[in-house]
Structure formats: C-alpha cells, structure tokens
Amino acid sequence: MFSNLDEIPPDLVISEEEVIDQLKLFDESKPPGADGVSPKILKEITSSISSPLTKLLNLSLQLKQLPNVWKEALITPIFKNKGSAQDVTNY
C-alpha cells in the first residue's frame, strides 16, 4: 500500500462498507492483537463499530497521522520443527 503517510492522496476516503467488508474477513481462529481484542469479537460487533471506526480511519488519513498503538504488534517466533531449537535461524 503506502510506505509513507505523505504518499496518501489527499482525497482518499474510506467508506463504511469497506470497513465492514474488511472486518468480515478477520480470521476468528487468530489470537487477539496488541489491543487484546479477539478477531471473533470484532466480527461480532461489526455493526456497532463500523461507523466510528470509519470516522477514525478517515480522520487519521486526513491528518496523515497514525496513533502510536496502531504501530504496535505482538510477534511470536514459531519453530520450524527442524534443526536445533537453540538456533535462532530455525524460527
């Protein structure tokens, strides 16, 4: 997508339908993100959060700023099941 917020076209607007479509694509079997909210819960409350989330996303685009918490991630190394578990290249 965009590697830099300055590359975002000034007229870019996200529709509520696009937000709903993306929320419906969440994989319910995935663990919660850094916010602790599971994808299953987000899918279940799509109709309640789609409007405020759309407004928040569009404001972020307009201001060309992302909240710091959106830049956080939980990263879990997964062992490849080969070689030594002590070798970091096997993750």
Side-chain angles (χ1 to χ4, degrees):
M1 199 91 209
F2 302 104
S3 60
N4 183 330
L5 289 175
D6 292 327
E7 297 175 6
I8 297 173
D11 58 344
L12 180 64
V13 176
I14 298 172
S15 72
E16 189 169 341
E17 292 76 26
E18 290 173 303
V19 171
I20 291 169
D21 290 345
Q22 291 303 308
L23 287 168
K24 287 180 180 179
L25 292 175
F26 281 11
D27 184 345
E28 294 180 22
S29 68
K30 297 289 183 181
D35 57 7
V37 181
S38 77
K40 181 177 181 176
I41 297 295
L42 292 172
K43 283 181 83 168
E44 289 176 4
I45 63 171
T46 293
S47 62
S48 299
I49 65 171
S50 60
S51 179
L53 185 55
T54 301
K55 290 175 184 173
L56 181 61
L57 291 168
N58 282 314
L59 180 60
S60 181
L61 289 173
Q62 180 184 2
L63 298 175
K64 297 186 184 225
Q65 295 179 349
L66 294 175
N68 286 333
V69 296
W70 289 4
K71 301 174 191 177
E72 295 177 8
L74 298 175
I75 299 172
T76 305
I78 299 174
F79 182 59
K80 294 180 186 175
N81 291 324
K82 63 178 185 179
S84 170
Q86 306 304 317
D87 185 353
V88 297
T89 62
N90 290 326
Y91 288 85

